Amino acid sequence: MQIIPLHPNDRIQLKKPHPCGGNIFLVLRVGSAVRIVCEQCGRDMTVDRVKLEKAVRQILETSNAPSPEKKGNAQP
Ligand SMILES: [Zn+2]
């Protein structure tokens, strides 16, 4: 089995197209569930990570950012 590395801002192509006809999605948030938005119609949805990994055909673009998890930590 293959583990697919997913990062926020990645563009992924899924095997199964969205009802609108597009199959390119942008990753918004990664966790135990992944939030993706359809590039064609702009609708977003949350998919189980396990399910999504099975549905990914290929990763088109990856941002490969180390871990920009923390931001806006207001310290004087
Ligand atoms: Zn769509």
Side-chain angles (χ1 to χ4, degrees):
M1 209 175 155
Q2 196 190 350
I3 295 168
I4 298 169
L6 288 170
H7 313 276
N9 298 319
D10 283 3
R11 281 174 76 226
I12 55 174
Q13 182 180 25
L14 299 189
K15 290 171 190 165
K16 213 174 165 183
H18 202 230
C20 74
N23 64 349
I24 313 289
F25 293 82
L26 186 69
V27 177
L28 295 181
R29 232 184 100 169
V30 180
S32 56
V34 181
R35 194 152 168 239
I36 56 177
V37 57
C38 173
E39 224 173 47
Q40 183 148 308
C41 68
R43 212 173 285 184
D44 69 290
M45 54 186 172
T46 306
V47 190
D48 271 356
R49 182 163 187 148
V50 185
K51 269 190 196 169
L52 185 69
E53 283 186 4
K54 282 178 190 164
V56 172
R57 170 158 289 164
Q58 64 172 320
I59 293 175
L60 301 173
E61 253 176 63
T62 179
S63 52
N64 239 345
S67 58
E69 290 291 304
K70 279 187 183 175
K71 64 174 184 179
N73 200 353
Q75 281 246 334

